[in-house]
Amino acid sequence: MEIKLPLDANLQAALNKVSAAFPELKLNQVLEAKIAVNQAQLNLLTVNMAGKALTLQTPLPLPFAAGQSLQLQVVKLLPTPEFKLIAPPLPASAKPTVSGEAPLLKLATAAAPAAGNPLPNLQLGQAVPAQVVSVGKQGVTLQLAMPLPASGQTATDNAAGHSPAQPITLDSRQLIEADPAKPVLVPGSRIELQLVKAGSPPLFSVSLAPADLEAELVAAAFKQALPQQSSPLLMLNRLDHALGELIADKTVGETLKHLALQILRAIPDKSALFQPNDLKTAVARSGLFLEAQLAQAGRQQAPPMLADDFKLRLSKFIAQLALELKPAAAEHSASASEPLLRELLQQAEGSLAKLTLDQLHSLPKDDAPRQVWVLELPFLQNGKPDLLELVVEHDRDGNGNPAGQNNWVVSITITPPELATIHCKLSCYDGSVNTRFWSESADTVEKINARLDYLRRQFEEKGLKPGFMDAQQGKPAQEHSPIASPQSLLSEKV
């Protein structure tokens, strides 16, 4: 005889609430998160996790910057979800307990949207700066840049000598965006909140703060000025397919044919990616470090070999293609390969633009806790060009990285034959290697899960300490390649 005991009503309500709001959360699950806003003075951390913006209450201010990646483990679901910080590790001085345990982050319950006017002293038409903390179904939580103005005092007057005010939550129906086609109510946005209608409830218009508006103009200028980017795989596949036609055309210069052959012959075979020295060479010749190697060559009597650098060969190939297509060459009979040459020129210029932007993304940034390198490695798969996308991250010294500890994160994206695209993230913390896989194909995920034990043994044979491993269907919460903000593409300090 089966006896079913009724659940406590409060417990059932709590279970229903957590299941409805966070159906993907499971006990001991490890999640990738990215910081949107760190309100250290309020012990609040807003992160983008599992496709949602969540505000977490921290036991003490955490030394993290916006945009930094975290790994959090679910340690409690009821009555409020709690998370344990796995990575990056905190320095001992920043840990809340003498035992040095990682801090627990509790999901902060947002205040209910205000029914009345949360800014009673704000005058009609007056604006106050704020930052969007989180956006939810119930409303939008904002962090005002200053305490609420007192009667007879403007928001600007009130800013001097005061710390930021407590967050407020407004019903989304109380907010009117200036341009709905370009939403500004996203976590992290700096906005100006202006009272346009008093009463209950009041109405506010929101627009980008002047600094963010300037950044938007810079971003638009970059979109217009920079060449259209394209993957080098498009050019390499087209060149590989049309090489015979190119060589057979006697009107095409021998220099161009030689450059095309050099580009294809320099692509390493897949087997080279499994050899540490060969992989190191492929990364060094990827084009990402060309200018750094040129600068180094200028300081040495015996300059390094640069002839095999992909960016250098690509630049020579583009210059020779442009020379072949010059109007001056029209005095000769038109080449049958001219459409092919124009197509290759467009794809090569797009590849160079992509490579150049990857270099800009990989420049050290003063306010970033990590150094990030973004690169693409062409390789041969069964004799045909293929591509491996890599994002390598390294914790900087002095940013929560204990002395002598090397913390690395490597993100890999690849599409193997007969499998769907696979995203892999390997993170090395405290000497152990954690590995996570994602794929949109359930069949691919099943095949990866079936081979995790084999991967664990491979790590151990190489002298590595395997940590957390799993594979799940979907995409990483924050896809790599990371996009740099427009301001980071230019330095005014030069």
Side-chain angles (χ1 to χ4, degrees), residues 198-432:
S200 184
L203 291 179
F204 301 89
S205 71
V206 291
S207 58
L208 279 174
D212 281 10
L213 186 59
E214 183 180 341
E216 191 178 63
L217 293 174
V218 173
F222 269 102
K223 287 180 181 178
Q224 294 175 5
L226 290 176
Q228 185 175 359
Q229 306 166 54
S230 61
S231 169
L233 188 59
L234 293 174
M235 184 207 70
L236 294 174
N237 276 325
R238 186 70 181 101
L239 189 59
D240 180 63
H241 185 265
L243 186 62
E245 176 188 342
L246 201 63
I247 292 177
D249 191 339
K250 295 182 179 180
T251 63
V252 175
E254 292 300 318
T255 302
L256 183 63
K257 295 176 183 178
H258 180 66
L259 288 171
L261 279 169
Q262 278 189 327
I263 288 175
L264 290 175
R265 287 174 178 172
I267 303 174
D269 188 74
K270 180 185 70 173
S271 58
L273 303 182
F274 295 96
Q275 304 301 322
N277 289 334
D278 292 341
L279 178 59
K280 182 179 179 180
T281 300
V283 170
R285 295 175 178 175
S286 65
L288 196 70
F289 309 101
L290 173 62
E291 287 75 11
Q293 291 173 354
L294 286 171
Q296 182 183 4
R299 296 190 296 266
Q300 295 179 350
Q301 292 182 349
M305 296 298 292
L306 297 172
D308 292 332
D309 187 89
F310 180 67
K311 185 180 181 182
L312 185 60
R313 282 186 168 161
L314 189 59
S315 300
K316 290 180 179 179
F317 187 56
I318 290 172
Q320 194 62 36
L321 279 168
L323 190 63
E324 292 274 339
L325 293 168
K326 279 182 66 173
E331 52 192 51
H332 303 290
S333 57
S335 170
S337 299
E338 183 174 338
L340 170 62
L341 297 182
R342 293 194 180 280
E343 183 183 358
L344 286 173
L345 179 60
Q346 182 182 8
Q347 292 176 346
E349 288 176 338
S351 300
L352 184 60
K354 176 67 170 64
L355 177 53
T356 302
L357 200 58
D358 284 346
Q359 288 182 293
L360 292 171
H361 290 327
S362 303
L363 290 174
K365 299 171 182 62
D366 294 337
D367 57 346
R370 289 180 175 181
Q371 170 66 53
V372 180
W373 296 270
V374 182
L375 63 150
E376 296 176 319
L377 288 183
F379 66 95
L380 293 178
Q381 174 85 20
N382 298 325
K384 296 296 179 183
D386 208 333
L387 197 70
L388 178 71
E389 298 178 24
L390 283 178
V391 178
V392 182
E393 304 172 59
H394 183 223
D395 278 354
R396 288 181 170 187
D397 292 334
N399 286 276
N401 185 13
Q405 182 171 298
N406 254 330
N407 295 333
W408 292 85
V409 178
V410 179
S411 300
I412 303 170
T413 300
I414 192 170
T415 306
E418 302 178 4
L419 289 176
T421 298
I422 296 173
H423 306 275
C424 174
K425 186 169 185 176
L426 295 97
S427 54
C428 179
Y429 291 106
D430 294 326
S432 63

Side-chain angles (χ1 to χ4, degrees), residues 31-32 49-51 413 421-425 436-441 445 471-480:
L31 296 167
E32 304 292 334
M49 180 169 61
T413 300
T421 298
I422 296 173
H423 306 275
C424 174
K425 186 169 185 176
R436 306 199 68 191
F437 295 92
W438 295 266
S439 178
E440 295 188 87
S441 165
V445 172
Q472 55 184 277
Q473 191 172 359
K475 289 184 178 181
Q478 201 66 30
E479 281 193 59
H480 299 294

